[in-house]
Amino acid sequence: MAGGTESGGLSRSCILIIVVASVERFAYKGVASNLVTYLTDVAKLNTSSAAKNVNSWCGVTSMLPLLGAFLADSYWDRYSTILVSSLLYIVGLASLTVSALLWAFTPINKTIFEAALFSSLYLISMAQGGYNPCLQAFGADQLEKEDQHLPCSRKENENIEKKSKFFQWWYFGICSGSLMGVTLMSYIQDNFGWGWGFAIPTIGMALSAICFSCGTHLYVRKKTKVTEQPTEAMVHSIKETVKKAVRGRIRLSPKEEEVAELELQDKPLIDAFPTTESSFDEGVNKEEPRLIDARVILKLLPVWTMLLMFAVIFQQPATFFTKQGMAMKRNIGNNFMIPPATLQSAITISIILLMPLYDKAIIPALRMITGNEKGINVLQRMGIGMLLSVVAMVVAALVETKRIDMSRKGEAVPLSIFWLLPQYILLGVSDVFTVVGMQEFFYTQVPTRMRSIGIGLYLSVFGVGSFLSALLITVIELITTSGGNECSWFSDDMREARLDNYYWLLALSGSICLMSFISLCKHCTNESCK
């Protein structure tokens, strides 16, 4: 069988790709989870500048996969894109390691050090632009070629079962890699130095690239036909669709609805956001496939927009949550100090523990309440996660208010860092609902030939959310320090900082986006009932 497929399980190529993805997450989280500490303690940036730099870097890292997906689906093949991106990834991590070692052992001009640091980080971002959207889609490609002797119905059932199993193990793999990266690397960075802290992810990524290339003979590889040029077709079709939307002339005939449904898997977006059944203008029959693709992409945008504040909230663990932890009691006994970034592992642990419960307990309970065989649909799943993220911000604000009160009263023993665990756990639970729901939503609601673009759209939510987070910090700084007022919400002195106000603002903004999301979903439901 293709790719070394074994009966009743995943192929060897799928297992190898899951392992490679797990190691990549280990390397990425080993750098990203504690980066704000590196920027404040080593690069000597102030708290707000460090947070903005981390958010901007995360934003670029999450946005570039959209470009990488277009290029991979248009002109390159996924295998070559992954291989080249892996090499670029290793160069970026190696450069980061060298800059950390040189800064630690030899005198370097601060400007040169910062240039080398950020060049290395954005080289990693470029690598992720091709790596992230292609690896998961490439893994799913391995499941599509089955034994030709099997009956069609059996092949279809087995393929569905294997695809479900692949995505489950994929998520387990990246969660495991993330957990190791957050817990192990933050401890090494805080206790053994940043040279080792960056060198180990570099070595891990190099080993994963070697393993991936060694499995070349196992892979099912799809070649991209350059003549199709879906990127140009998509740009052209979006322009045509917008023009017709302005004129009020975009409509799908029953026949075209059927074509669109055949292009999408599961429940297509056209069902969730129904349209009036009529016909396109005359003369556009030649553009039908392109217009259908563009129409589906455009219909994703309202949901995409409503999720942006969730993405802003999800930037907090790697930035201000970590700074909170640095100002709290972190010691266990006399010798062991908890690295603040380690608490991010609570998010991953919550995900790993909740995933089995979700299928075994939560879905059956929701099925009894809703009467829906799936328990809840994907939009409802995302809405629940958005609600939990707002609750996490409320809890974070209350804990921060208590910490500030204790520090200003001169308490001998500061608040324990374990008070931060509830907000981390709540964000982990919201991840199971919203992030997993987003992956399913953006993967299934695009035509099958554009799966990489669907994954790129999902990742771009977090990219734009990161930029919004950086912009929000800048605006708040300008407002809170205007008129000669030196008391910034993001003061380096954590006794003067007012992160609780920032968390309340995020909770309010998240609530507004949640209400808008619910209104959008109700509007779609009402239309579908007409």
Side-chain angles (χ1 to χ4, degrees):
M1 292 189 182
T5 303
E6 298 175 5
S7 179
L10 294 175
S11 65
R12 285 177 289 171
S13 59
C14 285
I15 295 171
L16 179 58
I17 289 169
I18 290 171
V19 172
V20 167
S22 177
V23 176
E24 185 276 331
R25 284 293 89 184
F26 166 79
Y28 176 74
K29 286 294 185 179
V31 172
S33 63
N34 209 19
L35 184 59
V36 71
T37 305
Y38 185 68
L39 294 181
T40 53
D41 291 358
V42 179
K44 302 302 180 183
L45 300 182
N46 60 43
T47 300
S48 60
S49 296
K52 286 188 285 186
N53 275 288
V54 171
N55 286 330
S56 299
W57 178 63
C58 290
V60 172
T61 304
S62 299
M63 287 298 295
L64 284 178
L66 197 55
L67 174 62
F70 271 114
L71 293 174
D73 283 350
S74 300
Y75 305 106
W76 307 332
D77 64 278
R78 289 167 183 163
Y79 172 82
S80 300
T81 304
I82 295 166
L83 202 58
V84 172
S85 298
S86 298
L87 296 177
L88 196 61
Y89 211 135
I90 295 166
V91 172
L93 287 169
S95 301
L96 187 63
T97 305
V98 171
S99 67
L101 289 173
L102 289 176
W103 180 255
F105 295 110
T106 61
I108 304 177
N109 182 275
K110 190 173 188 293
T111 303
I112 296 175
F113 167 70
E114 289 185 359
L117 167 63
F118 290 110
S119 296
S120 302
L121 289 174
Y122 283 101
L123 198 59
I124 294 171
S125 297
M126 290 175 59
Q128 289 227 346
Y131 196 93
N132 270 351
C134 293
L135 189 63
Q136 187 172 9
F138 186 69
D141 288 344
Q142 310 307 307
L143 304 170
E144 294 186 5
K145 192 172 182 180
E146 299 293 327
D147 195 335
Q148 301 297 321
H149 299 291
L150 293 175
C152 291
S153 59
R154 183 180 170 188
K155 280 194 293 184
E156 182 179 354
N157 291 336
E158 287 192 1
N159 195 40
I160 292 172
E161 182 181 347
K162 286 183 178 180
K163 186 167 288 189
S164 176
K165 183 178 292 185
F166 169 77
F167 283 113
Q168 288 177 11
W169 279 105
W170 171 274
Y171 200 67
F172 178 81
I174 62 174
C175 284
S176 300
S178 298
L179 180 61
M180 288 295 294
V182 169
T183 54
L184 180 61
M185 296 318 304
S186 60
Y187 179 78
I188 290 175
Q189 288 159 359
D190 284 3
N191 292 277
F192 296 96
W194 293 95
W196 279 110
F198 293 144
I200 293 173
T202 305
I203 295 169
M205 193 63 206
L207 291 174
S208 75
I210 293 171
C211 291
F212 180 79
S213 60
C214 288
T216 299
H217 65 287
L218 297 174
Y219 301 138
V220 174
R221 296 169 60 181
K222 294 182 176 181
K223 295 290 184 181
T224 300
K225 295 181 180 179
V226 177
T227 54
E228 293 177 359
Q229 296 186 347
T231 304
E232 295 176 9
M234 176 60 68
V235 173
H236 175 73
S237 58
I238 287 177
K239 289 180 180 178
E240 292 297 319
T241 305
V242 170
K243 287 179 183 178
K244 293 180 180 296
V246 172
R247 298 171 189 166
R249 296 162 64 186
I250 297 180
R251 296 182 178 90
L252 290 179
S253 66
K255 182 178 179 180
E256 287 159 350
E257 286 271 3
E258 184 178 351
V259 172
E261 289 180 7
L262 291 174
E263 283 290 337
L264 299 174
Q265 292 182 352
D266 299 327
K267 292 187 176 180
L269 191 62
I270 275 179
D271 288 344
F273 298 88
T275 58
T276 304
E277 292 187 358
S278 187
S279 61
F280 280 117
D281 286 57
E282 295 180 3
V284 298
N285 290 335
K286 193 173 182 179
E287 300 290 335
E288 280 181 14
R290 296 178 182 177
L291 288 170
I292 290 171
D293 292 349
R295 185 180 180 83
V296 171
I297 295 296
L298 288 173
K299 282 180 175 290
L300 292 170
L301 293 182
V303 174
W304 184 92
T305 304
M306 295 301 104
L307 290 165
L308 290 178
M309 188 49 62
F310 172 82
V312 172
I313 290 173
F314 224 80
Q315 297 304 313
Q316 305 317 304
T319 53
F320 292 120
F321 283 12
T322 300
K323 290 301 294 183
Q324 267 185 286
M326 293 173 69
M328 301 173 81
K329 180 185 176 183
R330 298 187 287 126
N331 61 297
I332 297 179
N334 295 324
N335 300 319
F336 184 75
M337 294 284 287
I338 301 173
T342 302
L343 263 66
Q344 294 175 47
S345 63
I347 296 176
T348 308
I349 293 171
S350 300
I351 294 169
I352 293 174
L353 294 178
L354 188 61
M355 287 296 286
L357 289 176
Y358 183 84
D359 290 328
K360 300 295 184 182
I362 297 175
I363 289 299
L366 291 173
R367 189 182 295 129
M368 294 175 62
I369 297 171
T370 64
N372 187 334
E373 182 61 28
K374 293 181 68 175
I376 51 175
N377 62 40
V378 67
L379 293 175
Q380 291 169 333
R381 180 171 185 166
M382 289 190 290
I384 292 172
M386 292 169 71
L387 174 61
L388 290 171
S389 70
V390 171
V391 175
M393 284 298 98
V394 172
V395 172
L398 293 173
V399 171
E400 178 63 4
T401 300
K402 183 176 179 63
R403 185 197 68 78
I404 292 172
D405 289 342
M406 289 181 64
S407 64
R408 289 181 177 177
K409 289 176 182 177
E411 296 282 349
V413 179
L415 193 65
S416 171
I417 194 173
F418 291 112
W419 277 83
L420 298 179
L421 279 177
Q423 62 206 56
Y424 280 102
I425 293 171
L426 281 167
L427 283 180
V429 177
S430 73
D431 187 294
V432 173
F433 285 90
T434 302
V435 177
V436 177
M438 287 168 63
Q439 289 178 351
E440 178 183 350
F441 183 78
F442 287 103
Y443 183 82
T444 59
Q445 304 309 318
V446 297
T448 54
R449 62 184 175 275
M450 299 175 67
R451 294 307 191 199
S452 295
I453 294 171
I455 295 172
L457 281 171
Y458 146 69
L459 293 171
S460 70
V461 172
F462 293 94
V464 176
S466 297
F467 290 130
L468 283 178
S469 182
L471 178 62
L472 187 61
I473 293 169
T474 302
V475 171
I476 291 173
E477 268 199 309
L478 290 174
I479 294 173
T480 57
T481 58
S482 62
N485 182 13
E486 297 296 332
C487 186
S488 169
W489 286 5
F490 312 113
S491 173
D492 290 339
D493 186 348
M494 294 301 288
R495 291 174 298 179
E496 300 298 329
R498 293 310 305 262
L499 291 180
D500 54 337
N501 290 342
Y502 181 60
Y503 294 153
W504 284 120
L505 178 62
L506 292 184
L508 176 61
S509 303
S511 299
I512 293 172
C513 285
L514 176 59
M515 293 300 103
S516 302
F517 180 81
I518 293 171
S519 177
L520 175 66
C521 294
K522 284 185 177 179
H523 174 71
C524 297
T525 303
N526 291 338
E527 277 195 0
S528 64
C529 294
K530 288 180 181 178

